[in-house]
């Protein structure tokens, strides 16, 4: 018996209770004034029409009356689609294309397609409306635009309308790929070029470049004595450019393959793996082990280089040198390549690595041009630069893994890195020797600052701080008690009816409200709760909202009423209300969303 | 690479409860005869939010999937791209028709429904 009752209730709401198409949409047309024709589509309860599918055309183009312009009300955006929930209020300005008087019939071809929010989408409908028009007062078409006199005037106005809709519609948020493209088009391309150039210069100051110095010297010496400085310069440029070509190819390849790898970069174990690779690469920068081409091959190439001459020979040598030096600069290079891979942009990859190698090549040009007269003096400072690369690589590794770690854990990792750096630049060592305001004192002071910051990051992280700018927040007395007494984030207020929701909306004027439609029998809802709402960054993103959860588990009249009021087929669905309690239909979220995606949608 | 990702996502979606739709209407009838089941026809089209709700949410629900698979052979017909068999009427989409293995109509349900409501519909026509 109860089952029967349940079926009856569900049938009345869902079942055959849908309006027939002719009841759902009632189109009509009439003259609004002497020269304006109005078209209306009266829609049934919960019915809407898609703006994209709504077309108004002149059904009889040879009757001497044309549609000069067609205008419509602006559609609203629901769930990403532009729709009309009430009649689109079409206005057609009529013009005569030939002399007419008396009463005439104008035919309008109207096509549209719509859905009921209760869960049924109607078929496209096409209908012709006919209206009697007194032609005496309709203006003649202006001769000022003779080119369109005989052209089907309807096509242009329809385009007008579409354009109008496009411009008045809310600006769509850029998609992810657009954003990446934007980064490259925008100023940050120059930032990338400059920073890679800088990295290249730094790399040239590491011991890595040493194998190249004998090569470039011998290549240029091989040209014979009496070589002018100018020619030496050009030969060096050729050498460096061909070396750059090798790296550029690597960059383009990384970009190409990276494009397909991007999805893989989202999975935790890949992130962990790459993060570990970076740590290993960093270790090589700290001289724990050495990445190098076997000496035998290296010296063979150096020998060949002595016998090479001419521009082509030099170009080949440049290309080969890139391979020799490759393994030594492998660590920073791999970093660069993985970074490019993540952007998935081949052009960016090529440009970035080209500027990196030009940076690396500039000192080589200087050496080549001066035929070995100018050379950086090797020393400890070169190894220091290598260590800087090591620290940067570890930084990249932490940055990567922090995506899958709790914020305070990654803060502790940063803290640990800072402490290591500080101690290694001598924060805790006495300043030996005579030193009054000398450089070593400055270095120690810098070390101490880094040490203190690193330690506070470590301690703050242990206490659960999340903001690296305020690592000591958990220790502040006021903040501390606040954290202890109330939960960090808003919790959901659980309700089941329209009345309760209305009350909450009235109570929270001036605040934004987020309403989650939930049911026990909905596994996507549970997934949303367990994966998305429990995510720390989602929690912080939701902090600005009053959180309400509508429980639809009972599937009773109250549940159906509230679903149909807001046009929800069923859970999961998330609705947003602005400060005035107005439902932001275009922000509706339907179905399960991953945390990152959810935050993005929330940002809209 | 794109293919690998596609394959992975297909694998991933198999891990979820996923309804095995018969490839064609005729195949569904044949299978229903063999397995002594009924046929559930879903008429849908593109650009239909209620159809998407059914495929993405209701037919992802374990409870629904096992109830359908226990008693029905489901088949999916796109009213604009596939051939719609005679007699399967609709005023819109989604529309569900329930048939016996001989293709005789035993019930029809118009529009989308949430999980418990659709469970009720499935229960009604399974005998």
């Amino acid at each position: 018996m109860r089952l029967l009752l349940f079926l009856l209730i569900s049938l009345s709401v869902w079942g055959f209770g849908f309006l027939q198409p002719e009841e759902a949409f009632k189109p009509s047309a009439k003259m609004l004034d002497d020269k304006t024709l109005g078209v209306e589509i009266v829609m049934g309860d919960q019915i809407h029409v898609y703006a994209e599918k709504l077309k108004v055309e002149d059904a009889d183009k040879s009757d001497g009356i044309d549609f000069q312009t067609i205008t419509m009300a602006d559609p609203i955006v629901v769930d990403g689609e532009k729709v009309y929930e009430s009649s689109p209020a079409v206005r057609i300005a009529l013009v005569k294309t030939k002399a007419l008087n008396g009463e005439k019939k104008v035919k309008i071809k109207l096509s549209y397609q719509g859905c009921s929010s209760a869960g049924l989408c109607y078929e496209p409908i096409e209908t012709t409306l006919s209206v009697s028009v007194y032609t005496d007062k309709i203006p003649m078409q202006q001769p000022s635009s003779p080119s369109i006199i005989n052209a089907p005037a309807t096509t242009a106005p329809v385009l007008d309308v579409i354009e109008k809709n496009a411009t008045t519609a809310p600006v769509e948020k850029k998609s992810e790929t657009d954003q990446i493209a934007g980064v490259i088009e925008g100023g940050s391309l120059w930032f990338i070029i400059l920073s890679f150039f800088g990295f290249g210069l730094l790399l040239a100051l590491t011991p890595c470049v040493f194998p190249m110095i004998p090569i470039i010297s011998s290549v240029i010496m091989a040209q014979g004595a009496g070589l002018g400085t100018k020619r030496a310069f050009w030969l060096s440029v050729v050498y460096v450019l061909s070396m750059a070509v090798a790296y550029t190819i690597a960059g383009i390849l990384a970009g190409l393959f990276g494009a397909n790898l991007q999805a893989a970069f989202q999975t935790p174990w890949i992130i962990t793996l790459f993060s570990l690779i970076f740590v290993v690469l960093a270790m090589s920068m700290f001289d724990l082990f050495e990445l190098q081409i076997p000496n035998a091959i290296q010296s063979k190439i150096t020998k060949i280089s002595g016998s090479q001459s001419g521009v082509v020979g030099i170009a080949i040598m440049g290309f080969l040198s890139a391979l020799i030096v490759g393994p030594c600069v492998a660590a920073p290079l791999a970093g660069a390549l993985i970074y490019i891979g993540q952007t998935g942009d081949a052009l960016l990859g090529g440009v970035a690595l080209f500027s990196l190698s030009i940076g690396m090549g500039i000192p080589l040009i200087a050496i080549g041009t001066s035929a070995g007269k100018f050379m950086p003096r090797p020393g400890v400072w070169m190894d220091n630069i290598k260590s800087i690369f090591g620290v940067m690589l570890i930084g990249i590794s932490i940055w990567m893994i922090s995506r899958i770690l709790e914020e305070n854990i990654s803060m502790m990792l940063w803290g640990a890195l800072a402490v290591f750096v500080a101690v290694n630049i001598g924060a805790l060592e006495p300043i030996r020797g005579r030193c009054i305001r000398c450089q070593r004192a400055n270095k120690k002071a810098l070390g101490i600052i880094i040490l203190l910051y690193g330690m506070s990051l470590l301690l703050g992280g242990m206490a659960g701080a999340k903001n690296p700018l305020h690592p000591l927040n958990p220790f502040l007395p006021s903040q501390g008690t606040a954290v202890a007494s109330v939960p960090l984030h808003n919790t959901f207020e659980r309700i089941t009816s329209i009345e309760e929701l209305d009350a909450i909306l009235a109570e929270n004027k001036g605040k934004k409200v987020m309403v989650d439609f939930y049911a026990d029998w909905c596994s996507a809802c549970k997934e949303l709760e367990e994966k998305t709402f429990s995510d720390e960054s989602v929690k912080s993103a939701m902090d600005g909202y009053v959180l309400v959860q509508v429980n639809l588990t009972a599937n009773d009249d109250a549940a159906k009423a509230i679903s149909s009021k807001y046009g929800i087929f069923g859970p999961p669905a998330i609705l947003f209300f602005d400060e005035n309690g107005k439902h932001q239909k275009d922000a509706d979220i339907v179905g399960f969303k991953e945390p990152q995606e959810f935050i993005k949608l929330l940002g809209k | 690479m794109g293919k690998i990702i596609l394959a992975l996502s297909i694998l991933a979606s198999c891990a979820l409860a996923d309804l095995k739709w018969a490839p064609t209407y005729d195949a569904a009838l044949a299978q229903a005869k063999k397995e002594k089941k009924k046929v559930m026809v879903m008429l849908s089209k593109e650009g239909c939010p209620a159809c998407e709700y059914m495929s993405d949410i209701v037919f992802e629900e374990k409870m629904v999937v096992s109830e359908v698979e226990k008693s029905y052979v489901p088949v999916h017909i796109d009213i604009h791209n596939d051939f719609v068999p005679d007699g399967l009427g609709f005023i819109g989409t989604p529309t569900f028709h329930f048939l016996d293995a001989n293709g005789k109509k035993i019930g029809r349900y118009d529009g989308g429904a949430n999980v418990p409501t659709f469970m009720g519909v499935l229960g009604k026509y399974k005998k």
Side-chain angles (χ1 to χ4, degrees):
Chain A
M1 188 60 212
R2 276 187 63 182
L3 184 72
L4 203 71
L5 198 69
F6 169 73
L7 279 175
L8 275 175
I9 292 168
S10 56
L11 280 181
S12 65
V13 175
W14 290 96
F16 300 100
F18 289 107
L19 297 170
Q20 291 295 315
E22 52 272 23
E23 299 168 289
F25 312 97
K26 289 179 183 144
S28 65
K30 64 167 193 255
M31 288 304 284
L32 299 173
D33 57 42
D34 291 339
K35 53 187 192 318
T36 314
L37 184 56
V39 179
E40 283 213 329
I41 305 172
V42 176
M43 295 173 210
D45 205 20
Q46 298 192 343
I47 305 286
H48 54 264
V49 162
Y50 291 105
E52 197 185 299
K53 299 280 170 65
L54 177 65
K55 287 205 177 68
V56 182
E57 287 170 85
D58 189 350
D60 186 356
K61 283 166 188 158
S62 57
D63 60 0
I65 299 174
D66 272 359
F67 295 0
Q68 192 180 39
T69 55
I70 303 173
T71 54
M72 299 182 202
D74 289 333
I76 57 167
V77 176
V78 176
D79 207 12
E81 296 273 0
K82 281 182 230 151
V83 302
Y84 291 102
E85 288 190 326
S86 56
S87 177
V90 182
R91 277 157 191 277
I92 306 168
L94 298 176
V95 285
K96 288 192 281 196
T97 54
K98 58 185 179 199
L100 290 170
N101 45 43
E103 196 176 322
K104 273 218 78 159
K105 288 262 185 215
V106 171
K107 287 195 172 129
I108 308 138
K109 194 169 111 192
L110 182 64
S111 40
Y112 50 89
Q113 196 240 310
C115 298
S116 159
S117 318
L120 185 78
C121 278
Y122 294 93
E123 280 298 273
I125 296 169
E126 196 179 294
T127 175
T128 305
L129 303 169
S130 178
V131 182
S132 287
V133 175
Y134 285 101
T135 53
D136 301 25
K137 289 190 178 161
I138 295 176
M140 280 301 285
Q141 186 157 47
Q142 292 298 315
S144 62
S145 52
S147 56
I148 55 160
I149 280 187
N150 288 320
T154 43
T155 52
V158 169
L159 276 178
D160 267 5
V161 173
I162 292 166
E163 266 171 23
K164 181 174 172 285
N165 285 345
T167 48
T168 50
V171 179
E172 296 279 331
K173 287 268 154 62
K174 277 185 173 180
S175 78
E176 250 172 285
T177 36
D178 289 347
Q179 278 167 3
I180 291 170
V183 167
I184 293 157
E185 284 160 15
S188 44
L189 176 63
W190 289 107
F191 176 75
I192 288 170
I193 290 179
L194 274 179
S195 38
F196 271 80
F197 181 79
F199 286 141
L201 271 178
L202 270 179
L203 274 178
L205 302 176
T206 59
C208 288
V209 181
F210 278 161
M212 283 175 129
I213 292 171
I215 298 175
I216 191 164
S217 310
S218 55
V219 163
I220 286 168
M221 296 302 172
Q223 301 295 313
L227 185 71
T229 314
K230 204 173 164 191
R231 180 146 172 83
F233 170 75
W234 283 116
L235 288 176
S236 314
V237 168
V238 168
Y239 176 85
V240 166
L241 278 180
S242 47
M243 178 188 86
V245 167
Y247 285 122
T248 308
I249 292 172
I252 290 172
L253 288 180
L256 283 178
F257 290 117
N260 291 324
L261 282 172
Q262 277 188 79
F265 275 113
Q266 306 302 324
T267 47
W269 70 268
I270 298 261
I271 292 176
T272 314
L273 182 74
F274 272 93
S275 170
L276 286 176
I277 290 178
F278 273 96
V279 173
V280 171
L281 292 174
M283 290 305 136
S284 90
M285 292 279 96
F286 297 134
D287 286 333
L288 264 82
F289 60 91
E290 207 167 337
L291 289 165
Q292 221 168 22
I293 279 188
N295 263 333
I297 302 175
Q298 206 171 311
S299 57
K300 200 175 262 175
I301 295 179
T302 315
K303 209 177 286 169
I304 300 170
S305 67
S307 59
Q308 288 296 328
S309 60
V311 176
V312 179
I314 289 176
I316 293 171
M317 286 322 300
F319 200 90
L320 286 178
S321 318
L323 304 181
I324 301 178
V325 178
C328 178
V329 293
L333 199 63
L337 290 179
I338 288 173
Y339 167 77
I340 290 160
Q342 282 201 322
T343 66
D345 189 296
L347 178 71
L348 176 74
V351 170
L353 274 235
F354 186 78
S355 41
L356 178 98
S357 36
I358 294 297
M360 250 172 88
I362 291 228
L364 285 176
I365 293 179
I367 293 169
T369 310
S370 62
K373 267 169 265 162
F374 165 77
M375 237 178 85
R377 220 180 308 150
V380 190
W381 65 274
M382 280 197 159
D383 285 320
N384 286 345
I385 289 179
K386 228 170 132 184
S387 306
I388 291 177
F389 272 104
V391 170
M392 284 189 341
L393 284 168
I394 295 210
I396 294 177
S397 150
I398 297 176
W399 172 73
M400 287 189 86
I401 196 122
S402 64
R403 282 193 237 174
I404 53 169
L405 290 182
E406 294 277 332
E407 285 161 65
N408 58 327
I409 306 269
S410 39
M411 236 176 77
M412 283 161 70
L413 288 175
W414 286 115
L417 180 63
V419 170
F420 271 99
V421 170
V423 173
N424 274 297
I425 65 175
L428 299 177
E429 277 161 42
I431 303 167
R432 289 198 189 82
R434 257 160 50 91
C435 176
I436 299 154
R437 288 186 285 276
C438 67
Q439 211 200 332
R440 277 170 292 153
N442 293 338
K443 204 169 139 193
K444 177 162 177 163
L446 182 69
I448 290 173
I449 292 170
I450 298 176
L451 183 69
L452 277 176
Y453 182 58
M455 281 167 74
S456 50
L457 281 182
L458 265 176
L459 290 173
M462 284 177 206
K466 294 194 163 53
N467 188 344
L469 288 177
H470 306 284
L472 298 179
N473 260 2
F475 302 114
L476 297 177
S478 58
Q479 215 94 6
T481 48
V483 168
S485 59
V486 294
L488 263 169
H489 300 287
N490 274 326
T491 46
F492 283 92
E493 193 163 340
R494 283 163 226 281
I495 58 164
T496 53
S497 70
I498 295 180
E499 293 76 27
E500 285 170 284
L501 180 59
D502 286 345
I504 289 173
L505 290 175
E507 231 171 76
N508 290 291
K509 280 270 158 69
K511 288 182 198 157
K512 288 189 279 187
V513 181
M514 176 181 127
V515 181
D516 171 38
F517 283 74
Y518 167 92
D520 285 347
W521 36 260
C522 158
S523 45
C525 303
K526 288 185 178 155
E527 210 179 348
L528 203 55
E529 286 209 318
E530 282 159 18
K531 287 196 188 148
T532 307
F533 294 160
S534 61
D535 184 278
E536 282 301 324
S537 45
V538 172
K539 278 186 187 171
S540 329
M542 294 193 305
D543 266 348
Y545 295 86
V546 175
L547 303 177
V548 181
Q549 191 170 67
V550 180
N551 193 334
L552 301 175
T553 305
N555 201 33
D556 55 8
D557 285 349
K560 280 169 185 156
I562 195 165
S563 311
S564 79
K565 177 171 179 188
Y566 293 107
I568 303 298
F569 304 126
I574 297 153
L575 272 47
F576 296 90
F577 293 82
D578 68 6
E579 288 86 346
N580 302 317
K582 196 172 171 294
H583 177 195
Q584 304 298 106
K585 283 187 178 165
D586 54 335
D588 286 5
I589 298 174
V590 176
F592 171 72
K593 296 283 179 283
E594 296 282 350
Q596 295 302 324
E597 203 186 346
F598 184 81
I599 291 172
K600 222 174 270 168
L601 291 168
L602 203 61
K604 288 186 181 175
Chain B
M1 193 64 208
K3 275 183 191 156
I4 296 172
I5 290 168
L6 188 73
L8 281 177
S9 59
I10 289 171
L11 268 180
S13 60
C14 286
L16 297 170
D18 228 6
L19 205 50
K20 289 177 213 72
W21 298 89
T24 63
Y25 177 71
D26 292 334
L29 284 177
Q31 194 188 337
K33 223 169 233 166
K34 207 169 78 192
E35 297 175 2
K36 298 199 166 43
K37 287 181 182 168
K38 306 274 192 308
V39 173
M40 178 186 94
V41 182
M42 175 179 176
L43 301 177
S44 69
K45 64 172 170 251
E46 276 178 34
C48 156
C51 306
E52 280 164 28
Y53 182 79
M54 294 310 288
S55 336
D56 295 350
I57 291 165
V58 178
F59 291 132
E60 290 284 329
E61 208 64 61
K62 265 207 195 82
M63 186 168 44
V64 175
V65 170
S66 66
E67 181 76 5
V68 170
E69 285 183 344
K70 206 166 66 193
S71 318
Y72 301 94
V73 178
V75 62
H76 186 248
I77 294 176
D78 182 317
I79 59 170
H80 290 164
N81 295 320
D82 301 334
F83 170 72
V84 183
D86 278 346
L88 300 187
F90 53 88
I91 57 167
T93 55
T95 295
F96 293 89
H97 282 279
F98 297 90
L99 315 168
D100 67 14
N102 298 315
K104 194 174 148 262
K105 288 196 272 183
I106 49 178
R108 164 174 167 175
Y109 187 83
D110 285 36
N114 63 23
V115 172
T117 307
F118 199 72
M119 287 295 282
V121 176
L122 290 174
K124 189 177 167 190
Y125 298 120
K126 71 179 174 189
K127 277 177 215 106

